[in-house]
Amino acid sequence: MGDSSENSKRVKLSDGRFLAYRESGVPKEEAKYKIILVHGFGSSKDMNFSASKKPDLDFVSQELIQELGVYLLFYDRSGYGKSDSNAKRSLKSEVNDIVELADQLEIGPKFYLIGLSMGSYPTWGCLKHIPRRLSGVAFVAPVVNYLWPSLPNELIKEDYMGGLIEWGLRISKFAPRLLHWLVILIQKVLPSTSSVLESKQVYFNSHDMEVLKRTTGFPMFTKEKLRERDVFDTLRDDFVACFGQWDFEPEDLSITQESNVHIWHGKEDKVVPFQLQRCVLQKQPLINYHEIPQGGHLIVHYDGTCDAVLRALLLGEEQKVYKPVLDETM
């Protein structure tokens, strides 16, 4: 069914690629709830997902996992971590990878999905293409596709990220070598740091910046990694698939109360403004929306957020969070 190398289990997909994964929580044969987690841009199957102030590899409150009977399946999306790259990456191919992974590991006919940040586009794709396989879905700080026709033009124009993404898409498609050269050039003028993200304070609030000082969840965003062509190609292809033209937008989906869909977003998110999520909600009012007043883009790393996400998704409970794990002086 798969192989194992350097502590990574892998399954072989129908097109010959290998997909790496790790399992956590209770054994799947004993689990009441089975969840696949979809990591974001530059992350991996070792992404942080925590309900505890004491981070570890699983980054989830073990007491809660045992209490609820939760099986967690993390995987490296194509080109990330120990998974093979996919030259034909698309929204649909990301959905197919999730389906094949679930089937090969025999987790059952239905499962839950949690998509983090840019891991939201495979998650939206699953809502479109395999809704009957989903017991529920949680988006945490999801990105939006600026090509969605239903997004107001005036709001997109006000959001500087929309312009950056449009610029990035054009260069990614027509001059990828130039884009790689620009990335390397820009790094030379940034402050010396192990993570490129730590120098991007314009994208993160003060709580996020504290998270970046202590998390190891972004292995592909070091200056050394970004110079590698295969790493750059993976990030570029992922970016294009996420922000390129889709065959649907959220308002086209048939979401009911039984669909059990949640969005968690920070009101101080500088990567994806919360106003864009509210536009999505106008088209899909049956989505359960949870807004964290002082939350930035990295809310998944705040103390209590993941605990609340699991309880809302699995039990329908609403909890207050969500204090960032910070010094008392912050």
Side-chain angles (χ1 to χ4, degrees):
M1 182 173 65
D3 71 353
S4 178
S5 60
E6 297 184 23
N7 299 320
S8 290
K9 299 177 182 178
R10 304 199 301 171
V11 296
K12 188 174 183 179
L13 304 178
S14 58
D15 63 2
R17 289 182 295 119
F18 282 91
L19 210 63
Y21 68 93
R22 70 177 176 92
E23 301 167 289
S24 182
V26 304
K28 61 187 173 187
E29 296 81 9
E30 304 172 10
K32 183 177 180 181
Y33 304 103
K34 298 172 184 177
I35 305 175
I36 298 178
L37 291 101
V38 190
H39 70 77
F41 196 55
S43 190
S44 73
K45 67 181 181 300
D46 297 326
M47 65 183 182
N48 298 332
F49 187 78
S50 174
S52 171
K53 288 185 179 181
K54 298 179 180 179
D56 55 22
L57 181 63
D58 295 331
F59 239 58
V60 179
S61 167
Q62 292 304 309
E63 294 81 5
L64 178 63
I65 294 303
Q66 294 298 323
E67 173 192 339
L68 298 182
V70 177
Y71 164 84
L72 298 167
L73 177 58
F74 302 77
Y75 74 103
D76 288 330
R77 296 197 289 115
S78 61
Y80 287 98
K82 301 300 180 182
S83 290
D84 294 337
S85 60
N86 182 5
K88 299 180 179 179
R89 183 200 292 272
S90 67
L91 183 145
K92 189 63 184 296
S93 75
E94 293 280 311
V95 174
N96 291 339
D97 285 358
I98 291 173
V99 171
E100 287 202 56
L101 179 66
D103 289 347
Q104 290 206 40
L105 294 183
E106 301 179 340
I107 68 172
K110 299 191 74 170
F111 49 85
Y112 292 84
L113 273 184
I114 298 178
L116 308 181
S117 189
M118 221 163 91
S120 61
Y121 85 88
T123 308
W124 281 118
C126 288
L127 272 172
K128 170 64 176 178
H129 295 290
I130 58 165
R132 292 180 178 82
R133 299 291 303 269
L134 306 178
S135 298
V137 171
F139 297 91
V140 183
V143 299
V144 300
N145 188 319
Y146 287 86
L147 296 180
W148 290 342
S150 61
L151 292 181
N153 289 329
E154 59 273 15
L155 185 55
I156 294 176
K157 289 179 181 178
E158 291 176 3
D159 179 19
Y160 71 95
M161 284 297 293
L164 288 176
I165 288 171
E166 181 181 4
W167 174 84
L169 277 175
R170 290 178 179 177
I171 298 184
S172 294
K173 289 181 178 179
F174 302 114
R177 291 183 181 275
L178 172 61
L179 182 59
H180 192 205
W181 177 80
L182 287 173
V183 168
I184 294 174
L185 180 64
I186 291 171
Q187 290 180 50
K188 293 181 179 180
V189 301
L190 294 177
S192 177
T193 176
S194 60
S195 172
V196 173
L197 290 179
E198 290 181 34
S199 63
K200 299 294 186 181
Q201 297 187 32
V202 67
Y203 301 147
F204 304 108
N205 70 1
S206 58
H207 300 325
D208 288 348
M209 294 305 296
E210 287 299 311
V211 167
L212 288 172
K213 292 177 182 178
R214 58 185 171 79
T215 185
T216 57
F218 306 98
M220 297 179 79
F221 282 141
T222 63
K223 291 185 176 183
E224 292 74 18
K225 279 292 183 181
L226 285 173
R227 292 189 179 98
E228 297 178 14
R229 187 54 192 264
D230 59 339
V231 170
F232 171 80
D233 287 345
T234 291
L235 294 174
R236 182 202 64 204
D237 293 346
D238 200 19
F239 177 86
V240 171
C242 178
F243 296 109
Q245 192 71 52
W246 297 7
D247 60 347
F248 71 97
E249 62 173 320
E251 71 169 357
D252 299 326
L253 302 176
S254 298
I255 295 178
T256 66
Q257 199 70 50
E258 289 69 33
S259 301
N260 189 21
V261 180
H262 298 254
I263 291 179
W264 295 78
H265 208 80
K267 198 170 183 179
E268 294 182 6
D269 193 323
K270 297 182 180 182
V271 177
V272 185
F274 71 93
Q275 292 92 338
L276 294 173
Q277 303 299 347
R278 292 185 177 182
C279 289
V280 173
L281 293 172
Q282 289 177 2
K283 305 297 181 181
Q284 290 290 357
L286 294 181
I287 291 177
N288 301 283
Y289 183 54
H290 314 265
E291 196 169 89
I292 300 178
Q294 295 181 327
H297 191 64
L298 302 181
I299 54 173
V300 71
H301 302 284
Y302 295 2
D303 185 44
T305 299
C306 296
D307 192 3
V309 169
L310 290 180
R311 289 189 179 277
L313 178 64
L314 305 180
L315 305 178
E317 295 180 0
E318 185 72 37
Q319 286 187 307
K320 291 183 179 179
V321 189
Y322 318 122
K323 221 173 167 188
V325 185
L326 300 173
D327 295 334
E328 293 298 324
T329 56
M330 288 296 294

